[in-house]
Amino acid sequence: MGSHPLPTPVTPAGRDGLAALLASPGRAVVALDFDGTLAEIVPDPERARAHPGAVPALARLAPHLRSVAVITGRPAGVAVRYGGLAGVPELAHLVVLGHYGAERWDAATGTVSAPAPHPGVAAVQAELPGVLDASGTWRGTWVEDKGRAIAVHTRRAADPQAAFDALRGPLGALAARHGLIVEPGRLVLELRPPGVDKGAALAAYVRETGAGAVLYAGDDLGDLAAFAAVAALRSEGLPGVLVCSGSAEVTELAERADLVVDGPGGVVELLTALAERIG
């Protein structure tokens, strides 16, 4: 036994998934969200950085696995940069699926591949200032241009939740006019193309790698799609483990998880414990 005890999933399916991962790690995919899972949530998303223990833990675990994937709403290159994921020999097979899978960065080549952006994103960006002004929520909101999506953050507003609630309707209407959808998160509303989500990205990647087991860790409403994808894979007979990073802000995710860990620090502990057991 290592110095990091491996937690026991609270569900039978989760226990089966963890057992399958430990029995055949070389056939397992470990997939993780970035913000709130590998990196702490911070008021300014541009200052988000991976937990200091994240890359060492992944570097220790990854050589034993089929693959490690980071699945994020951020541009793939930003997650690579903020995560310190490039140039790590042990992560030679790491893949970052950015923009919910619309972009892909492969550590093996160091390059990002992506299709052309949805035209609705530029149209929404042009109209957004007027919509925010009209809703009275301009002050304190912060707009993040993600290239393939636009995120409106309310965490810095005087009343973050009130601003978030006030914007859901107007932003939903704006998105619909341009063929986009609104994805709510932790005090953030993201306008992005439909049919692109972490669940579709994860399911496609699991099939591409021929994985025999999957562990997915996330922290936010955007991760529910990935949780649903793992549940669907389990119903097809592929074992899986659902991990929630922190339970306070997004109870919907914690209620569906097989394991709840204490934020990015808890994720690092879990990855380290897995590496100790497997290695």
mmCIF file of all heavy atoms in Angstrom, residues 228-279:
data_model
loop_
_atom_site.group_PDB
_atom_site.id
_atom_site.type_symbol
_atom_site.label_atom_id
_atom_site.label_comp_id
_atom_site.label_asym_id
_atom_site.label_seq_id
_atom_site.Cartn_x
_atom_site.Cartn_y
_atom_site.Cartn_z
ATOM 1 N N ALA A 228 -22.944 11.623 -18.236
ATOM 2 C CA ALA A 228 -23.973 10.862 -18.950
ATOM 3 C C ALA A 228 -23.339 9.916 -19.968
ATOM 4 O O ALA A 228 -23.821 8.792 -20.163
ATOM 5 C CB ALA A 228 -24.937 11.821 -19.643
ATOM 6 N N ALA A 229 -22.249 10.360 -20.609
ATOM 7 C CA ALA A 229 -21.569 9.498 -21.587
ATOM 8 C C ALA A 229 -20.985 8.271 -20.905
ATOM 9 O O ALA A 229 -21.070 7.156 -21.435
ATOM 10 C CB ALA A 229 -20.468 10.284 -22.299
ATOM 11 N N VAL A 230 -20.387 8.465 -19.714
ATOM 12 C CA VAL A 230 -19.839 7.311 -18.981
ATOM 13 C C VAL A 230 -20.968 6.368 -18.562
ATOM 14 O O VAL A 230 -20.839 5.145 -18.658
ATOM 15 C CB VAL A 230 -19.017 7.773 -17.763
ATOM 16 C CG1 VAL A 230 -18.602 6.578 -16.900
ATOM 17 C CG2 VAL A 230 -17.779 8.552 -18.217
ATOM 18 N N ALA A 231 -22.088 6.939 -18.123
ATOM 19 C CA ALA A 231 -23.238 6.101 -17.750
ATOM 20 C C ALA A 231 -23.712 5.281 -18.948
ATOM 21 O O ALA A 231 -24.033 4.090 -18.814
ATOM 22 C CB ALA A 231 -24.371 6.971 -17.212
ATOM 23 N N ALA A 232 -23.733 5.905 -20.134
ATOM 24 C CA ALA A 232 -24.145 5.185 -21.347
ATOM 25 C C ALA A 232 -23.151 4.089 -21.701
ATOM 26 O O ALA A 232 -23.543 2.962 -22.060
ATOM 27 C CB ALA A 232 -24.286 6.166 -22.514
ATOM 28 N N LEU A 233 -21.870 4.385 -21.574
ATOM 29 C CA LEU A 233 -20.842 3.372 -21.847
ATOM 30 C C LEU A 233 -20.966 2.211 -20.858
ATOM 31 O O LEU A 233 -20.812 1.043 -21.228
ATOM 32 C CB LEU A 233 -19.446 4.003 -21.754
ATOM 33 C CG LEU A 233 -19.079 4.960 -22.899
ATOM 34 C CD1 LEU A 233 -17.850 5.787 -22.535
ATOM 35 C CD2 LEU A 233 -18.840 4.191 -24.194
ATOM 36 N N ARG A 234 -21.253 2.538 -19.592
ATOM 37 C CA ARG A 234 -21.422 1.465 -18.588
ATOM 38 C C ARG A 234 -22.609 0.576 -18.941
ATOM 39 O O ARG A 234 -22.541 -0.650 -18.765
ATOM 40 C CB ARG A 234 -21.600 2.070 -17.189
ATOM 41 C CG ARG A 234 -20.350 2.755 -16.684
ATOM 42 C CD ARG A 234 -20.263 2.907 -15.186
ATOM 43 N NE ARG A 234 -21.168 3.851 -14.572
ATOM 44 C CZ ARG A 234 -20.899 4.476 -13.421
ATOM 45 N NH1 ARG A 234 -19.749 4.278 -12.780
ATOM 46 N NH2 ARG A 234 -21.769 5.296 -12.885
ATOM 47 N N SER A 235 -23.672 1.195 -19.471
ATOM 48 C CA SER A 235 -24.852 0.389 -19.831
ATOM 49 C C SER A 235 -24.532 -0.540 -20.999
ATOM 50 O O SER A 235 -25.208 -1.547 -21.208
ATOM 51 C CB SER A 235 -26.026 1.302 -20.191
ATOM 52 O OG SER A 235 -25.814 1.931 -21.440
ATOM 53 N N GLU A 236 -23.477 -0.203 -21.774
ATOM 54 C CA GLU A 236 -23.025 -1.063 -22.874
ATOM 55 C C GLU A 236 -21.978 -2.069 -22.411
ATOM 56 O O GLU A 236 -21.446 -2.827 -23.227
ATOM 57 C CB GLU A 236 -22.430 -0.200 -23.996
ATOM 58 C CG GLU A 236 -23.422 0.758 -24.625
ATOM 59 C CD GLU A 236 -22.747 1.815 -25.495
ATOM 60 O OE1 GLU A 236 -21.578 1.607 -25.881
ATOM 61 O OE2 GLU A 236 -23.379 2.844 -25.774
ATOM 62 N N GLY A 237 -21.645 -2.031 -21.114
ATOM 63 C CA GLY A 237 -20.710 -3.018 -20.572
ATOM 64 C C GLY A 237 -19.292 -2.536 -20.403
ATOM 65 O O GLY A 237 -18.403 -3.331 -20.075
ATOM 66 N N LEU A 238 -19.029 -1.244 -20.624
ATOM 67 C CA LEU A 238 -17.683 -0.714 -20.440
ATOM 68 C C LEU A 238 -17.594 -0.073 -19.057
ATOM 69 O O LEU A 238 -18.306 0.881 -18.768
ATOM 70 C CB LEU A 238 -17.363 0.321 -21.529
ATOM 71 C CG LEU A 238 -15.892 0.740 -21.598
ATOM 72 C CD1 LEU A 238 -15.448 0.865 -23.052
ATOM 73 C CD2 LEU A 238 -15.644 2.047 -20.868
ATOM 74 N N PRO A 239 -16.738 -0.604 -18.166
ATOM 75 C CA PRO A 239 -16.698 -0.101 -16.792
ATOM 76 C C PRO A 239 -16.206 1.347 -16.736
ATOM 77 O O PRO A 239 -15.369 1.766 -17.550
ATOM 78 C CB PRO A 239 -15.708 -1.033 -16.092
ATOM 79 C CG PRO A 239 -15.519 -2.200 -17.008
ATOM 80 C CD PRO A 239 -15.799 -1.713 -18.378
ATOM 81 N N GLY A 240 -16.734 2.102 -15.777
ATOM 82 C CA GLY A 240 -16.332 3.496 -15.651
ATOM 83 C C GLY A 240 -16.484 4.013 -14.240
ATOM 84 O O GLY A 240 -17.245 3.466 -13.438
ATOM 85 N N VAL A 241 -15.741 5.073 -13.938
ATOM 86 C CA VAL A 241 -15.775 5.728 -12.624
ATOM 87 C C VAL A 241 -16.040 7.212 -12.842
ATOM 88 O O VAL A 241 -15.379 7.854 -13.659
ATOM 89 C CB VAL A 241 -14.438 5.570 -11.862
ATOM 90 C CG1 VAL A 241 -14.574 6.110 -10.440
ATOM 91 C CG2 VAL A 241 -13.962 4.139 -11.858
ATOM 92 N N LEU A 242 -17.002 7.758 -12.092
ATOM 93 C CA LEU A 242 -17.348 9.175 -12.159
ATOM 94 C C LEU A 242 -16.856 9.871 -10.893
ATOM 95 O O LEU A 242 -17.250 9.505 -9.786
ATOM 96 C CB LEU A 242 -18.858 9.340 -12.279
ATOM 97 C CG LEU A 242 -19.477 8.774 -13.562
ATOM 98 C CD1 LEU A 242 -20.990 8.748 -13.464
ATOM 99 C CD2 LEU A 242 -19.022 9.580 -14.765
ATOM 100 N N VAL A 243 -16.006 10.876 -11.077
ATOM 101 C CA VAL A 243 -15.403 11.586 -9.943
ATOM 102 C C VAL A 243 -15.848 13.043 -9.980
ATOM 103 O O VAL A 243 -15.740 13.700 -11.027
ATOM 104 C CB VAL A 243 -13.864 11.509 -9.992
ATOM 105 C CG1 VAL A 243 -13.242 12.268 -8.824
ATOM 106 C CG2 VAL A 243 -13.404 10.054 -10.000
ATOM 107 N N CYS A 244 -16.332 13.555 -8.848
ATOM 108 C CA CYS A 244 -16.679 14.966 -8.722
ATOM 109 C C CYS A 244 -15.608 15.668 -7.900
ATOM 110 O O CYS A 244 -15.299 15.243 -6.785
ATOM 111 C CB CYS A 244 -18.045 15.138 -8.075
ATOM 112 S SG CYS A 244 -18.493 16.865 -7.790
ATOM 113 N N SER A 245 -15.067 16.733 -8.455
ATOM 114 C CA SER A 245 -14.042 17.522 -7.774
ATOM 115 C C SER A 245 -14.718 18.632 -6.981
ATOM 116 O O SER A 245 -15.092 19.665 -7.535
ATOM 117 C CB SER A 245 -13.089 18.125 -8.820
ATOM 118 O OG SER A 245 -12.267 19.113 -8.241
ATOM 119 N N GLY A 246 -14.922 18.400 -5.676
ATOM 120 C CA GLY A 246 -15.588 19.398 -4.839
ATOM 121 C C GLY A 246 -17.090 19.265 -4.953
ATOM 122 O O GLY A 246 -17.624 19.027 -6.031
ATOM 123 N N SER A 247 -17.813 19.395 -3.846
ATOM 124 C CA SER A 247 -19.252 19.128 -3.854
ATOM 125 C C SER A 247 -20.088 20.348 -3.523
ATOM 126 O O SER A 247 -21.303 20.323 -3.658
ATOM 127 C CB SER A 247 -19.567 18.035 -2.830
ATOM 128 O OG SER A 247 -19.151 18.443 -1.539
ATOM 129 N N ALA A 248 -19.460 21.453 -3.110
ATOM 130 C CA ALA A 248 -20.226 22.557 -2.530
ATOM 131 C C ALA A 248 -21.034 23.328 -3.570
ATOM 132 O O ALA A 248 -22.208 23.600 -3.374
ATOM 133 C CB ALA A 248 -19.288 23.508 -1.793
ATOM 134 N N GLU A 249 -20.408 23.669 -4.715
ATOM 135 C CA GLU A 249 -21.069 24.580 -5.648
ATOM 136 C C GLU A 249 -22.007 23.874 -6.617
ATOM 137 O O GLU A 249 -22.993 24.450 -7.042
ATOM 138 C CB GLU A 249 -20.027 25.398 -6.434
ATOM 139 C CG GLU A 249 -19.474 26.567 -5.651
ATOM 140 C CD GLU A 249 -18.766 27.591 -6.540
ATOM 141 O OE1 GLU A 249 -19.258 27.898 -7.636
ATOM 142 O OE2 GLU A 249 -17.702 28.066 -6.117
ATOM 143 N N VAL A 250 -21.707 22.648 -7.001
ATOM 144 C CA VAL A 250 -22.516 21.972 -8.029
ATOM 145 C C VAL A 250 -22.979 20.621 -7.484
ATOM 146 O O VAL A 250 -22.373 19.586 -7.727
ATOM 147 C CB VAL A 250 -21.720 21.797 -9.340
ATOM 148 C CG1 VAL A 250 -22.609 21.227 -10.439
ATOM 149 C CG2 VAL A 250 -21.163 23.152 -9.796
ATOM 150 N N THR A 251 -24.096 20.664 -6.743
ATOM 151 C CA THR A 251 -24.573 19.432 -6.108
ATOM 152 C C THR A 251 -25.077 18.427 -7.135
ATOM 153 O O THR A 251 -25.026 17.226 -6.897
ATOM 154 C CB THR A 251 -25.700 19.733 -5.104
ATOM 155 O OG1 THR A 251 -26.722 20.481 -5.779
ATOM 156 C CG2 THR A 251 -25.179 20.549 -3.936
ATOM 157 N N GLU A 252 -25.565 18.914 -8.307
ATOM 158 C CA GLU A 252 -26.070 17.974 -9.326
ATOM 159 C C GLU A 252 -24.999 16.979 -9.729
ATOM 160 O O GLU A 252 -25.285 15.810 -9.964
ATOM 161 C CB GLU A 252 -26.541 18.726 -10.578
ATOM 162 C CG GLU A 252 -27.745 19.620 -10.366
ATOM 163 C CD GLU A 252 -27.345 21.067 -10.159
ATOM 164 O OE1 GLU A 252 -26.350 21.328 -9.459
ATOM 165 O OE2 GLU A 252 -28.042 21.933 -10.697
ATOM 166 N N LEU A 253 -23.765 17.432 -9.815
ATOM 167 C CA LEU A 253 -22.668 16.560 -10.214
ATOM 168 C C LEU A 253 -22.303 15.607 -9.077
ATOM 169 O O LEU A 253 -22.107 14.409 -9.293
ATOM 170 C CB LEU A 253 -21.451 17.403 -10.625
ATOM 171 C CG LEU A 253 -20.518 16.785 -11.656
ATOM 172 C CD1 LEU A 253 -21.188 16.657 -13.005
ATOM 173 C CD2 LEU A 253 -19.257 17.616 -11.790
ATOM 174 N N ALA A 254 -22.210 16.157 -7.859
ATOM 175 C CA ALA A 254 -21.845 15.333 -6.704
ATOM 176 C C ALA A 254 -22.840 14.193 -6.509
ATOM 177 O O ALA A 254 -22.461 13.073 -6.154
ATOM 178 C CB ALA A 254 -21.770 16.199 -5.450
ATOM 179 N N GLU A 255 -24.123 14.469 -6.763
ATOM 180 C CA GLU A 255 -25.157 13.446 -6.559
ATOM 181 C C GLU A 255 -25.029 12.297 -7.554
ATOM 182 O O GLU A 255 -25.476 11.191 -7.281
ATOM 183 C CB GLU A 255 -26.547 14.090 -6.697
ATOM 184 C CG GLU A 255 -26.913 14.953 -5.493
ATOM 185 C CD GLU A 255 -28.042 15.933 -5.805
ATOM 186 O OE1 GLU A 255 -28.565 15.918 -6.949
ATOM 187 O OE2 GLU A 255 -28.382 16.719 -4.907
ATOM 188 N N ARG A 256 -24.430 12.553 -8.706
ATOM 189 C CA ARG A 256 -24.282 11.514 -9.726
ATOM 190 C C ARG A 256 -22.930 10.807 -9.653
ATOM 191 O O ARG A 256 -22.699 9.839 -10.367
ATOM 192 C CB ARG A 256 -24.439 12.128 -11.124
ATOM 193 C CG ARG A 256 -25.851 12.573 -11.466
ATOM 194 C CD ARG A 256 -25.851 13.365 -12.780
ATOM 195 N NE ARG A 256 -27.177 13.680 -13.279
ATOM 196 C CZ ARG A 256 -27.940 14.655 -12.817
ATOM 197 N NH1 ARG A 256 -27.526 15.405 -11.817
ATOM 198 N NH2 ARG A 256 -29.139 14.885 -13.348
ATOM 199 N N ALA A 257 -22.027 11.320 -8.827
ATOM 200 C CA ALA A 257 -20.657 10.816 -8.806
ATOM 201 C C ALA A 257 -20.542 9.517 -8.020
ATOM 202 O O ALA A 257 -21.296 9.265 -7.085
ATOM 203 C CB ALA A 257 -19.722 11.866 -8.211
ATOM 204 N N ASP A 258 -19.558 8.705 -8.411
ATOM 205 C CA ASP A 258 -19.201 7.510 -7.634
ATOM 206 C C ASP A 258 -18.241 7.880 -6.506
ATOM 207 O O ASP A 258 -18.168 7.198 -5.491
ATOM 208 C CB ASP A 258 -18.511 6.475 -8.534
ATOM 209 C CG ASP A 258 -19.353 6.121 -9.744
ATOM 210 O OD1 ASP A 258 -20.535 5.749 -9.562
ATOM 211 O OD2 ASP A 258 -18.842 6.220 -10.873
ATOM 212 N N LEU A 259 -17.479 8.952 -6.738
ATOM 213 C CA LEU A 259 -16.494 9.438 -5.774
ATOM 214 C C LEU A 259 -16.547 10.953 -5.758
ATOM 215 O O LEU A 259 -16.571 11.572 -6.829
ATOM 216 C CB LEU A 259 -15.069 9.043 -6.201
ATOM 217 C CG LEU A 259 -14.455 7.729 -5.780
ATOM 218 C CD1 LEU A 259 -13.067 7.602 -6.405
ATOM 219 C CD2 LEU A 259 -14.360 7.624 -4.270
ATOM 220 N N VAL A 260 -16.557 11.552 -4.586
ATOM 221 C CA VAL A 260 -16.416 13.000 -4.469
ATOM 222 C C VAL A 260 -15.100 13.274 -3.743
ATOM 223 O O VAL A 260 -14.860 12.741 -2.654
ATOM 224 C CB VAL A 260 -17.594 13.628 -3.694
ATOM 225 C CG1 VAL A 260 -17.377 15.138 -3.528
ATOM 226 C CG2 VAL A 260 -18.915 13.368 -4.414
ATOM 227 N N VAL A 261 -14.242 14.069 -4.365
ATOM 228 C CA VAL A 261 -12.957 14.422 -3.753
ATOM 229 C C VAL A 261 -12.933 15.928 -3.512
ATOM 230 O O VAL A 261 -13.741 16.671 -4.065
ATOM 231 C CB VAL A 261 -11.761 13.981 -4.629
ATOM 232 C CG1 VAL A 261 -11.759 12.465 -4.809
ATOM 233 C CG2 VAL A 261 -11.779 14.678 -5.987
ATOM 234 N N ASP A 262 -11.986 16.370 -2.713
ATOM 235 C CA ASP A 262 -11.957 17.757 -2.252
ATOM 236 C C ASP A 262 -11.203 18.658 -3.236
ATOM 237 O O ASP A 262 -10.059 19.040 -2.994
ATOM 238 C CB ASP A 262 -11.327 17.821 -0.864
ATOM 239 C CG ASP A 262 -11.427 19.209 -0.254
ATOM 240 O OD1 ASP A 262 -12.201 20.031 -0.772
ATOM 241 O OD2 ASP A 262 -10.732 19.480 0.747
ATOM 242 N N GLY A 263 -11.862 18.982 -4.365
ATOM 243 C CA GLY A 263 -11.292 19.918 -5.320
ATOM 244 C C GLY A 263 -10.033 19.395 -6.000
ATOM 245 O O GLY A 263 -9.702 18.200 -5.925
ATOM 246 N N PRO A 264 -9.305 20.292 -6.687
ATOM 247 C CA PRO A 264 -8.103 19.862 -7.404
ATOM 248 C C PRO A 264 -7.079 19.150 -6.520
ATOM 249 O O PRO A 264 -6.428 18.201 -6.977
ATOM 250 C CB PRO A 264 -7.550 21.182 -7.965
ATOM 251 C CG PRO A 264 -8.768 22.022 -8.177
ATOM 252 C CD PRO A 264 -9.662 21.701 -7.003
ATOM 253 N N GLY A 265 -6.951 19.570 -5.265
ATOM 254 C CA GLY A 265 -6.043 18.856 -4.353
ATOM 255 C C GLY A 265 -6.469 17.414 -4.163
ATOM 256 O O GLY A 265 -5.625 16.502 -4.124
ATOM 257 N N GLY A 266 -7.786 17.195 -4.064
ATOM 258 C CA GLY A 266 -8.301 15.836 -3.928
ATOM 259 C C GLY A 266 -8.121 15.018 -5.196
ATOM 260 O O GLY A 266 -7.889 13.809 -5.143
ATOM 261 N N VAL A 267 -8.225 15.678 -6.348
ATOM 262 C CA VAL A 267 -7.989 14.995 -7.628
ATOM 263 C C VAL A 267 -6.530 14.537 -7.700
ATOM 264 O O VAL A 267 -6.240 13.401 -8.104
ATOM 265 C CB VAL A 267 -8.328 15.923 -8.817
ATOM 266 C CG1 VAL A 267 -7.881 15.302 -10.133
ATOM 267 C CG2 VAL A 267 -9.831 16.212 -8.848
ATOM 268 N N VAL A 268 -5.610 15.423 -7.296
ATOM 269 C CA VAL A 268 -4.185 15.063 -7.292
ATOM 270 C C VAL A 268 -3.941 13.874 -6.362
ATOM 271 O O VAL A 268 -3.202 12.943 -6.707
ATOM 272 C CB VAL A 268 -3.325 16.278 -6.886
ATOM 273 C CG1 VAL A 268 -1.889 15.859 -6.593
ATOM 274 C CG2 VAL A 268 -3.361 17.330 -7.991
ATOM 275 N N GLU A 269 -4.567 13.891 -5.186
ATOM 276 C CA GLU A 269 -4.430 12.757 -4.243
ATOM 277 C C GLU A 269 -4.926 11.459 -4.878
ATOM 278 O O GLU A 269 -4.288 10.406 -4.740
ATOM 279 C CB GLU A 269 -5.233 13.051 -2.968
ATOM 280 C CG GLU A 269 -4.640 14.120 -2.088
ATOM 281 C CD GLU A 269 -3.536 13.573 -1.183
ATOM 282 O OE1 GLU A 269 -3.664 12.432 -0.712
ATOM 283 O OE2 GLU A 269 -2.550 14.300 -0.968
ATOM 284 N N LEU A 270 -6.063 11.543 -5.577
ATOM 285 C CA LEU A 270 -6.632 10.352 -6.216
ATOM 286 C C LEU A 270 -5.702 9.828 -7.314
ATOM 287 O O LEU A 270 -5.434 8.622 -7.387
ATOM 288 C CB LEU A 270 -8.003 10.691 -6.802
ATOM 289 C CG LEU A 270 -8.682 9.575 -7.616
ATOM 290 C CD1 LEU A 270 -8.957 8.356 -6.752
ATOM 291 C CD2 LEU A 270 -9.969 10.095 -8.262
ATOM 292 N N LEU A 271 -5.203 10.725 -8.161
ATOM 293 C CA LEU A 271 -4.292 10.305 -9.233
ATOM 294 C C LEU A 271 -3.027 9.677 -8.656
ATOM 295 O O LEU A 271 -2.516 8.675 -9.178
ATOM 296 C CB LEU A 271 -3.922 11.506 -10.108
ATOM 297 C CG LEU A 271 -5.063 12.164 -10.892
ATOM 298 C CD1 LEU A 271 -4.582 13.451 -11.557
ATOM 299 C CD2 LEU A 271 -5.642 11.208 -11.930
ATOM 300 N N THR A 272 -2.527 10.272 -7.577
ATOM 301 C CA THR A 272 -1.329 9.748 -6.927
ATOM 302 C C THR A 272 -1.584 8.370 -6.331
ATOM 303 O O THR A 272 -0.762 7.447 -6.452
ATOM 304 C CB THR A 272 -0.840 10.721 -5.832
ATOM 305 O OG1 THR A 272 -0.619 12.016 -6.438
ATOM 306 C CG2 THR A 272 0.446 10.245 -5.197
ATOM 307 N N ALA A 273 -2.748 8.226 -5.681
ATOM 308 C CA ALA A 273 -3.096 6.921 -5.092
ATOM 309 C C ALA A 273 -3.219 5.852 -6.166
ATOM 310 O O ALA A 273 -2.779 4.713 -5.987
ATOM 311 C CB ALA A 273 -4.403 7.052 -4.302
ATOM 312 N N LEU A 274 -3.810 6.209 -7.312
ATOM 313 C CA LEU A 274 -3.927 5.260 -8.419
ATOM 314 C C LEU A 274 -2.544 4.850 -8.921
ATOM 315 O O LEU A 274 -2.287 3.666 -9.164
ATOM 316 C CB LEU A 274 -4.728 5.883 -9.571
ATOM 317 C CG LEU A 274 -6.238 5.970 -9.385
ATOM 318 C CD1 LEU A 274 -6.854 6.826 -10.490
ATOM 319 C CD2 LEU A 274 -6.881 4.583 -9.392
ATOM 320 N N ALA A 275 -1.658 5.851 -9.069
ATOM 321 C CA ALA A 275 -0.295 5.551 -9.540
ATOM 322 C C ALA A 275 0.426 4.623 -8.587
ATOM 323 O O ALA A 275 1.143 3.703 -9.007
ATOM 324 C CB ALA A 275 0.478 6.853 -9.719
ATOM 325 N N GLU A 276 0.231 4.849 -7.286
ATOM 326 C CA GLU A 276 0.889 3.984 -6.282
ATOM 327 C C GLU A 276 0.375 2.552 -6.362
ATOM 328 O O GLU A 276 1.139 1.602 -6.263
ATOM 329 C CB GLU A 276 0.670 4.557 -4.880
ATOM 330 C CG GLU A 276 1.499 5.810 -4.604
ATOM 331 C CD GLU A 276 1.232 6.390 -3.226
ATOM 332 O OE1 GLU A 276 0.315 5.912 -2.521
ATOM 333 O OE2 GLU A 276 1.957 7.334 -2.846
ATOM 334 N N ARG A 277 -0.945 2.416 -6.534
ATOM 335 C CA ARG A 277 -1.542 1.075 -6.604
ATOM 336 C C ARG A 277 -1.099 0.329 -7.868
ATOM 337 O O ARG A 277 -0.838 -0.872 -7.846
ATOM 338 C CB ARG A 277 -3.076 1.189 -6.566
ATOM 339 C CG ARG A 277 -3.631 1.397 -5.189
ATOM 340 C CD ARG A 277 -3.519 0.167 -4.300
ATOM 341 N NE ARG A 277 -4.334 -0.932 -4.792
ATOM 342 C CZ ARG A 277 -5.606 -1.120 -4.453
ATOM 343 N NH1 ARG A 277 -6.220 -0.263 -3.654
ATOM 344 N NH2 ARG A 277 -6.274 -2.143 -4.926
ATOM 345 N N ILE A 278 -1.061 1.067 -8.987
ATOM 346 C CA ILE A 278 -0.749 0.430 -10.263
ATOM 347 C C ILE A 278 0.739 0.207 -10.422
ATOM 348 O O ILE A 278 1.188 -0.830 -10.907
ATOM 349 C CB ILE A 278 -1.283 1.303 -11.430
ATOM 350 C CG1 ILE A 278 -2.811 1.317 -11.400
ATOM 351 C CG2 ILE A 278 -0.778 0.783 -12.763
ATOM 352 C CD1 ILE A 278 -3.432 2.388 -12.279
ATOM 353 N N GLY A 279 1.515 1.223 -10.005
ATOM 354 C CA GLY A 279 2.961 1.168 -10.213
ATOM 355 C C GLY A 279 3.646 0.172 -9.302
ATOM 356 O O GLY A 279 4.766 -0.212 -9.525
#
